[in-house]
Amino acid sequence: QVQLVVSGGGLVQAGGSLRLSCAASGIIFSIKTMAWYRQAPGKQRELVARITTGGSTSYADSVKGRFTISRDNAENTVFLQMTSLNPEETAVYYCNVVAGLSSIWGQGTQVAVSS
């Protein structure tokens, strides 16, 4: 079983930057994709960015050019560097890992962007 520990998040002013981290432990050899999702109040959870084992990345259109997902395979950690944040991106951000046939969620971390 894979366990995820998320760090980062917090309060930032509009236009600011934050970096999220998600460290995986457990049966890490089975990890395929690692991703970040977010859920704003009253909205559905949405995919923000995803990275494959081989390093291929994909992003939601709304974050392209501002967010960067990266992965440290040696540390089994995925990062999300967020820049030029706007208040509409206030949400709980979640790390997700697909390992084997399982989809595993980390605890959410609050990102609040003030105007």
Side-chain angles (χ1 to χ4, degrees):
Q1 187 69 22
V2 176
Q3 294 83 41
L4 305 176
V5 176
V6 177
S7 60
L11 175 63
V12 65
Q13 289 188 329
S17 300
L18 281 174
R19 188 188 195 215
L20 308 181
S21 300
C22 174
S25 62
I27 310 175
I28 55 180
F29 68 84
S30 64
I31 291 176
K32 297 176 179 177
T33 61
M34 305 181 84
W36 290 97
Y37 287 73
R38 66 187 178 190
Q39 187 166 19
K43 295 187 177 180
Q44 290 187 331
R45 191 172 298 187
E46 64 174 353
L47 175 66
V48 176
R50 177 185 286 126
I51 186 166
T52 69
T53 303
S56 297
T57 59
S58 58
Y59 296 91
D61 287 343
S62 62
V63 307
K64 285 180 180 177
R66 299 185 298 115
F67 289 14
T68 302
I69 189 170
S70 60
R71 181 171 174 169
D72 183 336
N73 287 328
E75 297 294 329
N76 301 303
T77 301
V78 62
F79 305 96
L80 184 68
Q81 179 67 48
M82 305 182 291
T83 64
S84 301
L85 284 159
N86 60 69
E88 292 70 37
E89 295 178 306
T90 293
V92 178
Y93 285 68
Y94 296 91
C95 174
N96 174 266
V97 166
V98 174
L101 299 179
S102 300
S103 178
I104 301 159
W105 294 91
Q107 82 274 19
T109 186
Q110 178 71 51
V111 171
V113 185
S114 63
S115 56

